[in-house]
């Protein structure tokens, strides 16, 4: 990593994002204790969240798609060669899929359609996986009062997923 890299350069992007999270330093034992622990320890009432800040462009992210309803950016801790998070811009009070009501159908459709558009844009014609974490036992570690999905691709996915 170059010392004089701008904050948005890939070398410093993780540090900039971490500075907005009130988390232990990246790479420390506390920071790498696992998704399960992070999900179980998440404060459901904390505001604003990392996704709020990404949508408002307050922290750097590599945006790959954006329209009036969603923003899609590369995950800072990719689990596949292509790992993109698709975030709903409008919250409608929906923090997790298990809380969805009939009035959320359009929002859910927008997220999935955006995933299809991004998958095409990323050259994932041979297949991809969509993941939606729900609640602490589903390892949903970012409660941001609006839903998001993970688009994973660029490698063979396995079953069961984990």
């Amino acid at each position: 990593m170059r010392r004089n890299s701008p904050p948005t350069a890939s070398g410093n992007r993780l540090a900039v994002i971490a500075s907005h999270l009130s988390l232990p330093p990246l790479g420390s034992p506390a920071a790498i204790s696992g998704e399960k622990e992070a999900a179980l320890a998440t404060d459901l009432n904390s505001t604003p969240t990392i996704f709020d800040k990404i949508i408002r462009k307050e922290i750097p992210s590599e945006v790959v798609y954006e329209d009036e309803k969603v923003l899609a950016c590369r995950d800072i801790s990719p689990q596949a060669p292509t790992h993109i998070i698709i975030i709903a811009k409008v919250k409608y009070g929906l923090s997790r899929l298990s809380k969805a009501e009939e009035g959320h159908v359009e929002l859910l459709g927008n997220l999935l359609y955006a995933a299809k558009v991004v998958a095409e844009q990323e050259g994932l014609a041979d297949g991809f996986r969509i993941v939606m974490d729900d609640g602490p036992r589903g390892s949903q570690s970012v409660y941001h009062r609006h839903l998001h999905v993970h688009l994973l691709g660029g490698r063979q996915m396995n079953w069961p997923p984990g």
Side-chain angles (χ1 to χ4, degrees):
M1 179 183 347
R2 288 180 297 159
R3 225 167 220 206
N4 296 326
S5 298
T8 56
S10 61
N12 290 335
R13 197 165 66 124
L14 291 174
V16 170
I17 291 170
S19 73
H20 288 269
L21 292 176
S22 301
L23 295 175
L26 290 172
S28 72
I32 53 178
S33 65
E35 281 289 316
K36 179 180 174 185
E37 290 80 9
L40 293 172
T42 299
D43 177 5
L44 298 177
N45 298 314
S46 64
T47 58
T49 68
I50 190 169
F51 290 161
D52 294 317
K53 293 177 179 185
I54 289 171
I55 288 170
R56 291 191 306 248
K57 310 285 196 297
E58 294 174 2
I59 60 174
S61 65
E62 189 177 339
V63 175
V64 297
Y65 176 83
E66 184 172 12
D67 63 24
E68 66 279 354
K69 298 174 183 172
V70 302
L71 180 140
C73 62
R74 297 201 187 278
D75 195 294
I76 62 168
S77 181
Q79 303 301 304
T82 300
H83 185 170
I84 295 169
I85 299 175
I86 303 165
I87 309 163
K89 286 183 172 181
V90 179
K91 301 172 187 179
Y92 294 118
L94 186 59
S95 61
R96 46 196 282 196
L97 185 59
S98 62
K99 304 291 184 186
E101 298 174 358
E102 188 174 345
H104 296 120
V105 169
E106 185 177 350
L107 170 64
L108 295 168
N110 290 335
L111 285 167
L112 292 177
Y113 183 74
K116 176 253 188 206
V117 169
V118 172
E120 286 178 348
Q121 174 183 301
E122 294 289 315
L124 301 175
D126 58 339
F128 54 90
R129 177 170 284 164
I130 299 296
V131 176
M132 222 183 242
D133 303 326
D134 190 292
R137 293 199 55 150
S139 285
Q140 182 181 6
S141 56
V142 180
Y143 290 90
H144 53 341
R145 292 167 307 286
H146 56 265
L147 211 56
H148 71 286
V149 300
H150 297 261
L151 170 66
L152 301 160
R155 68 168 168 83
Q156 179 60 53
M157 298 294 151
N158 297 312
W159 198 261

